[in-house]
Amino acid sequence: MRVLITRKLPDAGIKLLEDAGLAITQYSEKRELPQEELIELCQSQDALLSSGPNVIDEHFLSHNRYLKGIALMSVGYDKVDLQAATNCRIPVSNTPDVLTKTTADTAFLLMLAVSRNAFYQSQSIQRGQWGFYEPTANLGQELYGKTLGIFGMGRIGSDLARKCRSYFGMDIIYHNRSRKVEVEQELSAIYVSFDDLLAKSDVLTVHAELSEQTKGLFNANAFRKMKPSSIFINTSRGGLHQENDLIEALSKKEIWGAGLDVTNPEPMSPQNPLLTMPNVYVLPHIGSATVETRDQMAIVAAKNIMAAMKDEKMPQILNPEVYRSNK
Ligand code: DGY
């Protein structure tokens, strides 16, 4: 059986697939795999292990309806039309859990770096601006005892809340599709309306899926409702915030700073004004990028492929309805 992998995969995942006797094709060119090429390459395959922003839509699926499974090497699945995959009876899986702590760490890193202007200060040395000591210069803000607002209290949001509560003693407020009673009990977290989240957060951090409901939600109107001293963090998907509105909100000092691991579009242009703003820290979508986590993600994705090849339920199935119909 044949598997197409859209990027060079960590060896841990490759070994599993090879030991299972699967024939692997890895796309190794140093560019994104064009959609039409992906469609064509998949036609000679039994399964797809998709790493990166490959679009799995109706068009793709109509040309590849005989795939036995699609394993994403990501927790996000906003590029996949799950309903269309279900209609074609193709199981799709993702890689939750194994990247939770690492991605929450990235949000923590951004919060701290932005609050202390760390990146800008570091670059000021290169700019030859490390002058004399001034007690009122280069001042950041502390996070101790401040309010952390979480938009999307899933695994990553909860892990970050836990870290910030124990390290900075932060008060936790959150907005989510549904109440999370266990997190409220564990962290004294308080469920608030979206408007209250905007108005009360000292740090507002985004951990929700990109969907029709969340697309562009953090726009000029939202930033205007935030505190002038607040910090906006996004490590989920760039599509949740309006980049031009964010630039304007920062320029007008409607908010104090921003930390982004995700942008819209990706990659971000090197000319983007956010990159030269003092209180902004942008990372190139490295939320889960550690050796340990990427190994685990590759292993999880490989195990999902192996299950699909044996006509068994994928352990991290996203569309379990496929197993309810006759395949
Ligand atoms: C994820 O796992 O969703 C990461 O953002 C990589 O796309």
Side-chain angles (χ1 to χ4, degrees):
M1 297 241 184
R2 293 151 301 175
V3 184
L4 176 76
I5 306 177
T6 59
R7 275 274 169 263
K8 187 182 171 322
L9 206 66
D11 291 345
I14 295 292
K15 182 165 179 351
L16 276 181
L17 294 170
E18 281 177 350
D19 288 352
L22 299 172
I24 297 166
T25 305
Q26 283 196 87
Y27 183 81
S28 54
E29 287 188 37
K30 299 275 177 224
R31 58 176 180 132
E32 291 302 345
L33 174 51
Q35 185 68 359
E36 290 308 316
E37 219 174 299
L38 173 69
I39 290 174
E40 204 183 310
L41 283 173
C42 282
Q43 285 167 1
S44 53
Q45 304 290 325
D46 298 297
L48 168 65
L49 196 159
S50 172
S51 173
N54 308 301
V55 176
I56 313 291
D57 56 5
E58 266 188 327
H59 177 60
F60 170 90
L61 292 159
S62 67
H63 288 85
N64 283 290
R65 52 178 59 251
Y66 298 108
L67 286 175
K68 286 169 77 72
I70 299 174
L72 308 178
M73 192 176 136
S74 65
V75 68
Y77 50 90
D78 46 288
K79 300 276 183 212
V80 182
D81 185 338
L82 270 188
Q83 188 54 57
T86 306
N87 295 343
C88 296
R89 298 181 179 178
I90 299 178
V92 181
S93 65
N94 66 345
T95 56
D97 300 318
V98 289
L99 48 64
T100 298
K101 284 189 161 35
T102 313
T103 309
D105 286 348
T106 305
F108 193 88
L109 165 73
L110 286 170
M111 281 172 61
L112 196 48
V114 173
S115 74
R116 298 296 299 273
N117 280 340
F119 193 51
Y120 187 78
Q121 302 295 356
S122 166
Q123 285 178 328
S124 73
I125 304 171
Q126 285 160 276
R127 290 192 296 268
Q129 290 171 347
W130 189 353
F132 53 90
Y133 166 70
E134 263 190 293
T136 55
N138 305 332
L139 304 186
Q141 317 188 32
E142 293 192 6
L143 298 176
Y144 297 100
K146 300 263 173 90
T147 299
L148 177 69
I150 303 222
F151 181 75
M153 190 62 104
R155 300 176 187 86
I156 298 170
S158 308
D159 191 70
L160 181 65
R162 212 164 280 124
K163 288 180 163 93
C164 292
R165 181 107 184 122
S166 78
Y167 191 77
F168 290 119
M170 293 179 92
D171 293 325
I172 312 293
I173 59 175
Y174 75 101
H175 185 75
N176 197 55
R177 276 177 300 203
S178 57
R179 292 272 298 265
K180 293 286 177 134
V181 179
E182 64 291 359
V183 185
E184 292 180 15
Q185 284 167 353
E186 181 194 344
L187 301 170
S188 307
I190 298 174
Y191 179 86
V192 293
S193 67
F194 184 58
D195 272 1
D196 273 356
L197 188 83
L198 296 171
K200 293 183 176 162
S201 300
D202 292 309
V203 178
L204 198 164
T205 179
V206 179
H207 300 283
E209 285 166 18
L210 177 61
S211 67
E212 280 313 309
Q213 289 72 43
T214 61
K215 194 170 167 191
L217 199 57
F218 292 89
N219 56 18
N221 194 27
F223 293 128
R224 219 170 287 127
K225 292 178 181 166
M226 290 173 65
K227 297 183 192 180
S229 56
S230 64
I231 295 172
F232 175 77
I233 303 289
N234 189 356
T235 56
S236 64
R237 286 291 181 265
L240 272 96
H241 67 259
Q242 300 271 8
E243 214 144 273
N244 288 337
D245 292 358
L246 177 62
I247 294 168
E248 205 172 317
L250 287 158
S251 313
K252 289 186 183 161
K253 302 198 183 317
E254 286 172 346
I255 65 171
W256 191 80
L260 308 174
D261 183 45
V262 288
T263 63
N264 187 18
E266 289 182 4
M268 177 182 256
S269 154
Q271 274 76 45
N272 192 301
L274 287 169
L275 296 173
T276 50
M277 291 185 160
N279 296 354
V280 179
Y281 198 175
V282 186
L283 295 173
H285 203 147
I286 56 156
S288 62
T290 64
V291 173
E292 295 83 352
T293 295
R294 288 287 160 84
D295 275 355
Q296 288 308 313
M297 289 167 74
I299 288 171
V300 169
K303 285 185 174 168
N304 278 287
I305 289 285
M306 285 152 62
M309 294 292 99
K310 290 190 269 180
D311 283 325
E312 288 171 5
K313 185 174 175 187
M314 288 172 126
Q316 276 72 31
I317 185 76
L318 284 166
N319 54 345
E321 312 83 76
V322 287
Y323 298 119
R324 281 186 217 125
S325 45
N326 297 327
K327 196 166 158 110

